[in-house]
Amino acid sequence: MANMIEVEKLSKAFGDAPAVKSVSFTVQKSELLAIVGPSGCGKSTLLRCLNGLEEFDAGRLCLDGVVLDRATESYATFHHTAHLLRQKVGMVFQSFNLFPHLTALQNAMLAPMVVKKSPKGHARESAEKYLTKVGLADRMHYYPSQLSGGQQQRAAIARALTMSPAVMLYDEPTSALDPTLVREVLQIMRQLHEEGMTQLVVTHEMRFAADAADRVMMLDAGEVAACHGAREFFQHTEDPRITSFLGHFAGTLA
Ligand code: ADP
Ligand code: MG
């Protein structure tokens, strides 16, 4: 199986405070990797590095053939390559980040038109296709304020998919949702998994990580504390870092 993502000794500090410390891992094509860990352990920073949004200090990453290597890249070429990287990656945030003055359809048409210079008719066709895929065929002309949180997040996923990304990255995609709406968003990620999309999901939904992910990677203080097959991860009761972390979720996993 080919690696879609390779991360080697990637480090990022804010001033003197390290946020990501020499992190290495690989993700195969079509894999769903859940990333878990306590607040402040570097999950968001790592995703932002993978998306070329954060300029890391050291290390190398390769994503669908685009290589960003701190050792060889000058400042100028780093930014150029980071731009290429962003076009390979669909990013979904906790806070949806839809434009409030645009309908779901207009939100989903915008990036292909602006970034890829897609003709309007083509962008519209693609936006309609992905909004239908996430179950919003009858909500395309609604503004974000007229949609539930779950519908807004599904529109945000559709918007990311219109760019035909090689990889989807999600940063706590269900953390802002009412519990009743969480499932409909998780369901989209399960569906994309079945279709072979490569996905990295930062989540506190341990049941989802256990059931839907292929592997679970735990970060702790900026380092990879553990990385196992999903079933194995939740059975690694001899690893104190895992048991201590999972202790916080005892209720939800019972
Ligand atoms: P997580 O997503 O796991 O909660 P983050 O990646 O957001 O963790 O943060 C990791 C560490 O980096 C934290 O100590 C946080 O305070 C710090 N940090 C994150 N972003 C910034 C920033 N823009 N400036 C300074 N410190 C930051
Ligand atoms: Mg975070």
Side-chain angles (χ1 to χ4, degrees):
M1 266 290 224
N3 284 335
M4 179 62 93
I5 302 176
E6 292 171 9
V7 177
E8 275 172 42
K9 297 185 177 168
L10 191 145
S11 295
K12 167 71 187 173
F14 294 102
D16 291 338
V20 173
K21 291 192 266 184
S22 198
V23 162
S24 301
F25 65 98
T26 59
V27 183
Q28 288 179 357
K29 191 172 182 331
S30 302
E31 244 195 317
L32 197 167
L33 177 73
I35 301 175
V36 304
S39 176
C41 70
K43 305 181 296 296
S44 295
T45 305
L46 178 62
L47 283 200
R48 290 170 54 79
C49 289
L50 288 176
N51 195 14
L53 286 171
E54 201 78 74
E55 199 185 330
F56 49 91
D57 305 321
R60 173 188 185 274
L61 72 84
C62 176
L63 190 151
D64 195 29
V66 175
V67 176
L68 201 47
D69 188 341
R70 201 71 268 206
T72 56
E73 229 50 80
S74 72
Y75 182 81
T77 60
F78 189 94
H79 283 268
H80 175 72
T81 310
H83 182 72
L84 294 179
L85 196 61
R86 273 196 288 282
Q87 302 203 13
K88 295 270 184 189
V89 174
M91 182 90 189
V92 174
F93 301 92
Q94 179 178 338
S95 50
F96 324 137
N97 294 8
L98 295 168
F99 290 109
H101 62 291
L102 300 179
T103 64
L105 182 66
Q106 291 165 336
N107 264 286
M109 286 171 64
L110 194 62
M113 288 174 64
V114 173
V115 180
K116 289 196 169 165
K117 313 285 181 223
S118 294
K120 194 169 181 179
H122 189 267
R124 190 188 178 95
E125 219 170 85
S126 157
E128 286 173 351
K129 177 177 115 183
Y130 287 112
L131 285 164
T132 302
K133 186 186 196 53
V134 300
L136 293 176
D138 57 345
R139 295 283 187 280
M140 290 190 197
H141 301 291
Y142 286 48
Y143 289 89
S145 62
Q146 299 170 314
L147 298 171
S148 73
Q151 290 168 339
Q152 288 182 63
Q153 191 60 299
R154 285 187 281 140
I157 292 171
R159 176 181 58 178
L161 291 171
T162 61
M163 293 294 285
S164 309
V167 172
M168 288 284 285
L169 307 179
Y170 306 83
D171 195 354
E172 300 195 28
T174 61
S175 294
L177 300 178
D178 289 342
T180 52
L181 302 176
V182 168
R183 181 185 292 263
E184 66 189 47
V185 172
L186 299 180
Q187 186 51 37
I188 302 295
M189 292 185 279
R190 290 178 195 270
Q191 184 188 329
L192 291 171
H193 186 40
E194 279 170 21
E195 294 171 8
M197 176 61 77
T198 308
Q199 303 179 95
L200 273 63
V201 187
V202 169
T203 186
H204 297 296
E205 294 290 331
M206 291 302 138
R207 175 60 66 194
F208 171 75
D211 292 352
D214 297 301
R215 285 185 301 145
V216 178
M217 180 166 84
M218 180 185 162
L219 295 183
D220 192 18
E223 295 178 311
V224 177
C227 191
H228 302 292
R231 202 154 301 148
E232 224 190 321
F233 181 88
F234 291 95
Q235 290 166 356
H236 255 265
T237 42
E238 79 286 358
D239 184 331
R241 283 182 298 189
I242 296 179
T243 47
S244 155
F245 174 67
L246 290 180
H248 301 292
F249 299 93
T252 60
L253 274 171

